[in-house]
Amino acid sequence: MSLPESMSRVVVVGTKSHMEEAIEAFYSVRALHVIDHTAGTDGMSIGSPLPTNTKASERLLKVRAMEKELGIGKNTETSKVSADELREQISYGSVEGVEAEVLKVLDVRNDLNRRITELNAKKKSLELLTAIPVDLELYSGYKSLAVIVGTVEKDPSEALKALADAEIFVSFKKKKKKSGGGVAAVFVKNEDRDKASSILSDHGFVEFAVPEGKGPASGALVLADAGLADLNDKLESVEKEVEALQIKHKTFLRATDEELSIEIEKGEVPLRLAVGEYSYIMDAWVPTKKVQVVTTELESRLGNDVHIEVEETRGRNMHEEEEAEERFKKAPTKNNNGIIAKEFEHATSLVAIPKYQEIDPSILIMFFLPLFFGFMIGDCGYAIPFIIIGAYGLKVTRHKDWRAIATVLFFGGIWSFLFGFFFFGEAFGMHFIGHWEPPLGMTWEALLGVSMPDWFSGIMVNGHGVSKLEDDVVMLLKLAVYIGIIHIMIGYICGFLNVRRQHNNKHAFIEKGGWIILFIGMVVLCYALTQVLFSKVPLEGMLLYLLIAGAAMLVVGVAINFKAEGAKAILEVPNVIGMILSYTRLAAIGMSKAGMAMAFNYIVFGMFMGMTDAVVWPEWYLLIPLLLFLAFLHFVVWTLGILSAGLHALRLQFVELMTKFFVGGGTKYEPLIIKRFKTIKQETNKEV
Amino acid sequence: MALEGEAAGLAAIGAGLAVGLTGIGAGMGEKDVGAAAVGAMTEDRSIFGTAMIFMVIPETIVIFGLVIAIIALFAL
């Protein structure tokens, strides 16, 4: 079974003066999972970032700011740039150069934006003031008069009459607009100001500043409009300049962003090492099979400046982990799977990263997830789009979520086709072979008016495939249960192997052996009981022995579990039956899908086309829309199939299978690797 | 179906009740678990697997109901 890759712990010691080259070399071997140094041991302390980092961070900040302003993002299409040339450009100050160029335009744009905002505010005030017949210069310049101007929600004219010697202008429209009712301008003596304010505030008054200017507000409004149009024109031309800058610099900015990020990441490596006055020490995990190559590569690159020593090769027994020093306890998990199983690692990681010492369930998921999916769909008509979409998805997509889905669809589609053709003998909810007896008995043979050759029916189970909705229902349920028993048993065996590897045989027997015995006992007992209760087989001979043997194993299993886990183990016993019955969903979901497909076929063929007794095709103008309608209905079934079959197949892995052996909680293996997307390094990194 | 007449009708009602009532039960169970699981997942996406396991536990009851319904309809 596939365990994560074996790991060895190495110590790399080198001279501090050559640390920069050493870091380059560490990245180039692409296999060192650095163990962070914890401060204060042996006179060594945590290192500080490389001196070049400060400048690089500063530049990265500028680059990111420019990218944001120019609207350059992750998804902006740019071409690749040579990393060496780029570094040269950066060191000659091209980031600063571009910044000056970009800032110049951006400053103009920001200034224009600010002026437009101001002018818009002024315009809004002027629009309100056009309703009041007072020139703009008359609103200010008084010693003994206070001028209050603002919007009101309710008409204050009546209330304001209480003010003596006041000049009041109110423009109020009865029809309430969004922004309120109207505008009021009140000229009062200074001493009456508070009184006027309080009256106005009762009418939902909000004061605004009167813009400076001369003459009537309408005149100023025309001027403001003209100014605004002018500014907008200017802004438009500046936007064009910004766009041009975006096109001109996007490649440089994206590439520089990546290059500087890489430089900073490398520069921060000393923070994870122990650095003394003259030397540094790095602890790291390396896959055991790469240790030799890594050592040779580092020594050849760094010569006498480096010394590498293998400290340990971590075994799978837990005591090795328990005895290790705190920071060396957990070896990282590097999944060890082939190219297909690799696609299912994501499904495993949805639950947890496997521990270093346990079986990686990805390979089991690879086998069972598409199998269950295919069994539940079980229809070669629906299978074909699954295969096509899955294959296309695998070809184009790189995102791991989508790749996982595409993989399940592709392999699930293949299984679905195999089951649909050879086992169920149906496509789009209709059997290939048989007579026309709607609603249940609708077949392709009768529908198309052809007679399938004998060899064709010969390759199917029962000669015409298993019927999901009629005679074979009980058989399907039993089959699902048998599949479940095998599936769960595999889970228990993996659990046993895990504990045996992590501890010893005795431990494994007590922890998992009890469950295996209990499970087998329960299966045998249930088999004997169903024979007696449902099939009415008399309880004698072999059946009696099976019943006794099953009961005995059940008791032994419970006893072992009781010893290992206490009273909780007894409560878990009924759960075993629950788990097995849980697999009946394999049949049940298949049936529900077949039922829906059958109903839809009957709606179109039986009810609309009236083919209830015999196949009689309607005229083409009726036929085409009805077939399109049918295609839509089948699309519904198909979509529901992805959801229900996919989720339930996954659930059976996560809940029924993986809980039997999978603990998880490992640390992911993350070696020092640089991934370049926008830049190209001339010297190709040698993968060891 | 082996049953006939009234017996067949009663078996069909029984099957309907088995699926319907267990469905309601599972729904009530999953309502609480699902709400809590989604809440927890917004905090920490890495618990998806665990959340899903909790989420589907009540659902088993519906499968039992379905099995009973199928036995009532086809196996009696």
Side-chain angles (χ1 to χ4, degrees):
Chain A
M1 278 289 175
S2 84
L3 282 165
E5 252 183 59
S6 167
M7 286 283 163
S8 295
R9 183 160 60 84
V10 297
V11 173
V12 182
V13 184
T15 45
K16 193 178 168 186
S17 53
H18 291 84
M19 196 150 72
E20 215 169 318
E21 294 132 64
I23 290 172
E24 283 292 330
F26 296 157
Y27 272 96
S28 74
V29 296
R30 301 163 73 97
L32 292 159
H33 175 103
V34 180
I35 305 166
D36 290 352
H37 176 73
T38 38
T41 45
D42 316 325
M44 309 289 271
S45 60
I46 294 174
S48 45
L50 295 180
T52 50
N53 251 25
T54 324
K55 191 74 194 161
S57 311
E58 205 178 284
R59 282 178 169 149
L60 184 62
L61 207 65
K62 285 179 185 165
V63 169
R64 295 253 165 98
M66 280 189 271
E67 283 178 324
K68 192 164 172 272
E69 287 290 344
L70 295 178
I72 301 169
K74 246 183 181 174
N75 300 323
T76 312
E77 286 276 324
T78 59
S79 48
K80 291 192 175 189
V81 183
S82 153
D84 292 329
E85 280 174 30
L86 194 66
R87 295 196 72 83
E88 209 169 302
Q89 284 178 11
I90 295 171
S91 66
Y92 284 131
S94 53
V95 171
E96 286 76 8
V98 172
E99 194 198 20
E101 191 185 343
V102 171
L103 280 187
K104 213 168 93 189
V105 179
L106 288 180
D107 280 347
V108 175
R109 184 174 77 171
N110 293 344
D111 186 48
L112 282 173
N113 274 329
R114 186 180 51 77
R115 279 165 63 191
I116 288 174
T117 319
E118 280 173 10
L119 207 52
N120 268 326
K122 186 178 173 187
K123 193 182 148 189
K124 212 175 153 196
S125 307
L126 287 173
E127 272 170 359
L128 290 167
L129 290 177
T130 46
I132 292 174
V134 177
D135 285 355
L136 290 175
E137 68 266 27
L138 297 179
Y139 283 104
S140 55
Y142 304 109
K143 270 185 186 164
S144 57
L145 270 185
V147 185
I148 312 171
V149 185
T151 54
V152 281
E153 283 173 8
K154 287 181 274 182
D155 193 349
S157 329
E158 286 300 315
L160 285 171
K161 280 180 186 161
L163 294 168
D165 290 342
E167 198 67 56
I168 299 157
F169 300 92
V170 174
S171 157
F172 195 84
K173 283 180 188 154
K174 278 273 158 66
K175 228 180 188 179
K176 233 185 171 185
K177 279 191 179 173
K178 262 193 290 177
S179 56
V183 59
V186 182
F187 296 76
V188 285
K189 283 188 228 155
N190 277 340
E191 56 266 32
D192 285 341
R193 188 192 163 97
D194 288 346
K195 200 176 164 195
S197 294
S198 84
I199 295 172
L200 283 169
S201 68
D202 290 340
H203 294 81
F205 178 78
V206 179
E207 190 168 1
F208 62 80
V210 177
E212 284 175 18
K214 280 186 177 171
S218 52
L221 186 62
V222 174
L223 280 179
D225 272 334
L228 207 54
D230 182 40
L231 285 177
N232 274 326
D233 282 348
K234 280 185 187 156
L235 182 67
E236 207 170 296
S237 75
V238 172
E239 288 289 0
K240 272 189 192 135
E241 270 179 64
V242 171
E243 221 166 275
L245 278 178
Q246 198 242 38
I247 293 165
K248 186 175 163 196
H249 293 305
K250 64 179 182 183
T251 305
F252 174 75
L253 288 175
R254 285 302 297 158
T256 312
D257 185 336
E258 183 174 295
E259 186 59 36
L260 289 173
S261 307
I262 291 171
E263 191 182 329
I264 290 167
E265 194 192 314
K266 283 181 180 170
E268 277 169 0
V269 170
L271 289 171
R272 309 177 67 186
L273 312 183
V275 182
E277 206 169 336
Y278 304 109
S279 59
Y280 66 86
I281 303 174
M282 175 175 79
D283 295 291
W285 291 104
V286 179
T288 309
K289 63 181 183 193
K290 287 186 181 174
V291 169
Q292 197 53 45
V293 203
V294 168
T295 315
T296 325
E297 174 73 13
L298 286 182
E299 277 170 355
S300 79
R301 285 185 67 133
L302 300 170
N304 286 333
D305 279 322
V306 76
H307 174 73
I308 302 154
E309 216 171 87
V310 179
E311 291 290 300
E312 61 161 332
T313 293
R314 180 58 64 83
R316 312 287 176 173
N317 205 305
M318 287 309 265
H319 77 81
E320 285 188 38
E321 185 174 306
E322 281 151 16
E323 285 162 14
E325 198 186 309
E326 188 57 41
R327 67 194 182 106
F328 301 141
K329 266 194 163 66
K330 272 191 168 181
T333 303
K334 179 173 193 272
N335 302 86
N336 189 10
N337 292 311
I339 55 165
I340 300 176
K342 229 178 188 43
E343 304 288 353
F344 291 90
E345 280 169 10
H346 182 57
T348 308
S349 68
L350 282 179
V351 180
I353 306 278
K355 275 201 301 188
Y356 177 70
Q357 295 88 347
E358 71 183 353
I359 293 168
D360 177 2
S362 308
I363 198 155
L364 292 171
I365 297 179
M366 171 190 83
F367 184 70
F368 284 108
L369 181 61
L371 179 81
F372 288 176
F373 180 83
F375 187 81
M376 284 189 257
I377 300 285
D379 185 300
C380 52
Y382 297 138
I384 292 165
F386 281 135
I387 298 175
I388 295 170
I389 292 174
Y392 179 72
L394 280 177
K395 195 166 163 250
V396 294
T397 176
R398 288 279 158 271
H399 192 277
K400 56 186 180 178
D401 287 0
W402 289 115
R403 278 196 80 76
I405 292 170
T407 318
V408 176
L409 288 185
F410 180 70
F411 290 102
I414 291 176
W415 276 114
S416 165
F417 188 85
L418 295 175
F419 277 119
F421 195 86
F422 296 107
F423 190 70
F424 295 111
E426 65 179 38
F428 298 111
M430 286 198 291
H431 281 285
F432 291 114
I433 292 158
H435 303 292
W436 188 259
E437 288 162 11
L440 284 173
M442 286 184 286
T443 63
W444 286 102
E445 205 178 34
L447 188 73
L448 302 175
V450 291
S451 180
M452 298 289 184
D454 283 347
W455 63 264
F456 188 76
S457 60
I459 56 175
M460 290 176 196
V461 177
N462 284 350
H464 52 74
V466 171
S467 150
K468 285 182 196 167
L469 296 171
E470 282 176 286
D471 319 326
D472 302 316
V473 171
V474 178
M475 187 275 276
L476 277 179
L477 284 179
K478 280 184 188 163
L479 182 66
V481 167
Y482 296 146
I483 294 174
I485 290 170
I486 296 170
H487 199 224
I488 294 175
M489 200 62 206
I490 290 174
Y492 277 130
I493 291 171
C494 289
F496 184 84
L497 292 176
N498 269 346
V499 183
R500 202 180 80 131
R501 197 171 283 123
Q502 290 160 11
H503 300 280
N504 52 37
N505 274 325
K506 189 183 160 204
H507 214 105
F509 182 75
I510 294 195
E511 207 171 300
K512 296 287 173 186
W515 280 110
I516 295 181
I517 295 173
L518 187 152
F519 182 69
I520 297 174
M522 185 62 102
V523 170
V524 172
L525 185 71
C526 287
Y527 173 77
L529 283 177
T530 46
Q531 287 294 311
V532 174
L533 294 176
F534 291 113
S535 308
K536 312 282 188 236
V537 179
L539 186 60
E540 57 189 13
M542 193 60 193
L543 202 58
L544 184 64
Y545 296 136
L546 274 181
L547 190 80
I548 294 167
M553 286 175 85
L554 191 69
V555 173
V556 173
V558 171
I560 297 173
N561 286 345
F562 187 75
K563 189 167 179 288
E565 295 173 28
K568 195 185 98 194
I570 299 172
L571 294 175
E572 287 281 313
V573 174
N575 205 15
V576 173
I577 307 175
M579 266 164 8
I580 301 173
L581 284 183
S582 180
Y583 284 82
T584 50
R585 75 185 69 219
L586 288 178
I589 287 165
M591 284 159 59
S592 69
K593 217 138 277 55
M596 274 169 72
M598 182 273 290
F600 290 157
N601 284 333
Y602 183 66
I603 288 171
V604 173
F605 292 127
M607 292 161 79
F608 283 122
M609 298 195 194
M611 296 196 239
T612 42
D613 300 318
V615 177
V616 188
W617 290 98
E619 294 293 329
W620 66 269
Y621 53 82
L622 208 57
L623 184 66
I624 291 171
L626 283 174
L627 287 184
L628 285 176
F629 179 54
L630 183 66
F632 168 73
L633 292 177
H634 277 297
F635 178 71
V636 173
V637 183
W638 183 82
T639 329
L640 285 175
I642 303 180
L643 285 178
S644 59
L647 271 182
H648 283 278
L650 194 63
R651 172 230 145 96
L652 287 176
Q653 315 304 323
F654 283 179
V655 182
E656 270 74 17
L657 178 75
M658 276 159 74
T659 49
K660 305 289 172 295
F661 68 96
F662 185 68
V663 181
T667 323
K668 203 168 175 224
Y669 171 69
E670 282 169 333
L672 298 177
I673 285 184
I674 291 300
K675 284 185 181 150
R676 291 175 182 275
F677 300 100
K678 302 287 181 192
T679 51
I680 310 164
K681 192 91 178 152
Q682 299 299 352
E683 159 212 45
T684 45
N685 284 337
K686 197 159 86 184
E687 169 112 38
V688 293
Chain B
M1 196 186 291
L3 299 174
E4 295 212 344
E6 234 168 69
L10 287 173
I13 291 174
L17 286 175
V19 174
L21 293 178
T22 49
I24 292 170
M28 285 161 66
E30 283 194 8
K31 178 194 77 178
D32 294 342
V33 184
V38 171
M41 261 181 64
T42 50
E43 299 270 321
D44 178 7
R45 272 191 62 79
S46 71
I47 61 159
F48 171 78
T50 330
M52 180 166 162
I53 290 173
F54 285 131
M55 180 75 214
V56 295
I57 287 171
E59 188 188 286
T60 310
I61 195 93
V62 127
I63 305 282
F64 293 167
L66 190 72
V67 173
I68 298 298
I70 290 167
I71 291 174
L73 287 178
F74 294 97
L76 279 182

